[in-house]
Amino acid sequence: MSTRTFRVTVRGVFDGLSPGQRAELSERAAEHDVLRAAFTPEGTLTYDVAVRPAFTFRFLDSGEAEEDILQAAERAEASARAWLEQRGYGYKNLRSTAEDLSQAPLGKRQRREAARKSS
């Protein structure tokens, strides 16, 4: 059985932040800019509290079977919760979406490469 790669996105909204927490997040905003976003095993957080209180975590996980994507999403949400709670940040509306990259449609370049290999 081959290993499947999953990309999990966990979204939510900061809730009830104190002025100090908001200032802390603003000070560290450059580290969490969307231009630095990547899917990683430990998770990458992006936000811009100056614009809106929403945040996104991006996780990379893997599994053996298609059903493993559910556990990957649960692990990602648990990791996001832990990160937020360890820092005392309130949050709400936490939800996740997961994608099995083995099921993702091929892009134009990938289709051309596949066609070239089969010729």
Side-chain angles (χ1 to χ4, degrees), residues 17-34:
L17 295 176
S18 70
Q21 289 173 319
R22 186 172 285 285
E24 179 183 336
L25 287 169
S26 293
E27 288 172 16
R28 302 196 62 196
E31 299 171 35
H32 301 283
D33 187 79
V34 71

Side-chain angles (χ1 to χ4, degrees), residues 10-15 17 20-33 40-49 53-59 74-91 94:
V10 179
R11 291 183 171 85
V13 179
F14 291 113
D15 186 45
L17 295 176
Q21 289 173 319
R22 186 172 285 285
E24 179 183 336
L25 287 169
S26 293
E27 288 172 16
R28 302 196 62 196
E31 299 171 35
H32 301 283
D33 187 79
T40 63
E42 55 280 343
T44 301
L45 170 65
T46 58
Y47 61 83
D48 187 352
V49 291
F55 59 82
T56 302
F57 284 90
R58 290 171 178 82
F59 293 92
E74 289 173 5
R75 284 191 296 271
E77 282 191 30
S79 292
R81 265 192 218 92
W83 190 94
L84 292 160
E85 291 169 1
Q86 286 172 355
R87 288 156 181 82
Y89 296 140
Y91 61 91
L94 204 62

